[in-house]
Amino acid sequence: MRNLQRWQIYIANRVYVNAGVVNQMIKYFDGFYLTDEKDVILERYEEVNNLLKNAYWAKDREVSTMWHAIANSLNYAIFHAESKSLVGFARVVTDYATVYYVCDVFIAEEFRCMGLGKALVEWIVLNETKLSGVNGLLKTRDAKALYEKYGFEECKAICMVQKRK
């Protein structure tokens, strides 16, 4: 298992938005780089959509839906440093005050078991200053053990979902 503390953090730039200061960052790790630069990720929304076509929850998602989702979320992408190909993605929807929702966490199959999923979740949960003091939510069928390592707890009886067609 790769040591996630070996990430080297580089501040790419600062962008001021209504919610406060957004630190856009690039992290480099063993042949990969992770970024939260919305413009970079939004330019490649079709790649994100194609990656998520392999996820059971997003396989039928329209490309235009993905564009809107990225445009209105905090986004995190992992790229292979040499080929520049997208290998992982995660998104957070938040009001920056009371709640954030982690969604669309996905690593391409050929890049799994390399610590990349942990890197995404760790960045969001432990290092994302914009979410400090804010309660996190997520839905998962198959990655409970991963999220439990970062303080998420199962809550069976207190959640309701409205699914729209």
Side-chain angles (χ1 to χ4, degrees), residues 11-103:
I11 302 293
N13 56 13
R14 286 182 180 254
V15 178
Y16 294 87
V17 296
N18 291 338
V21 177
V22 175
N23 293 319
Q24 294 186 325
M25 302 176 83
I26 300 175
K27 299 181 181 189
Y28 294 88
F29 178 70
D30 286 350
F32 298 93
Y33 65 93
L34 193 151
T35 184
D36 66 349
E37 294 179 285
K38 185 178 278 193
D39 291 343
V40 170
I41 298 168
L42 199 52
E43 284 175 5
R44 298 176 74 168
Y45 73 94
E46 290 176 334
E47 286 177 73
V48 173
N49 194 64
N50 289 336
L51 177 71
L52 292 177
K53 290 285 183 198
N54 297 298
Y56 63 84
W57 66 87
K59 65 181 189 279
D60 297 324
R61 196 175 286 166
E62 295 291 327
V63 174
S64 61
T65 300
M66 196 69 247
W67 186 91
H68 287 285
I70 292 170
N72 294 296
S73 303
L74 297 174
N75 304 283
Y76 308 85
I78 298 180
F79 295 96
H80 189 271
E82 190 175 307
S83 69
K84 309 289 188 248
S85 61
L86 177 71
V87 301
F89 179 76
R91 216 166 45 86
V92 173
V93 180
T94 186
D95 64 6
Y96 298 99
T98 61
V99 68
Y100 70 87
Y101 173 61
V102 179
C103 52

Side-chain angles (χ1 to χ4, degrees), residues 107-158:
I107 303 295
E109 190 168 347
E110 61 269 28
F111 295 98
R112 293 183 187 162
C113 299
M114 299 173 75
L116 299 175
K118 283 184 181 181
L120 281 172
V121 175
E122 184 173 299
W123 189 359
I124 294 166
V125 175
L126 301 179
N127 298 317
E128 184 57 83
T129 58
K130 295 180 288 293
L131 302 177
S132 181
V134 180
N135 294 315
L137 303 169
L138 60 86
K139 287 172 41 178
T140 186
R141 229 192 319 187
D142 49 10
K144 290 178 186 175
L146 169 66
Y147 296 112
E148 286 172 347
K149 292 177 185 175
Y150 296 98
F152 285 89
E153 300 172 5
E154 195 167 350
C155 55
K156 294 182 181 190
I158 62 169

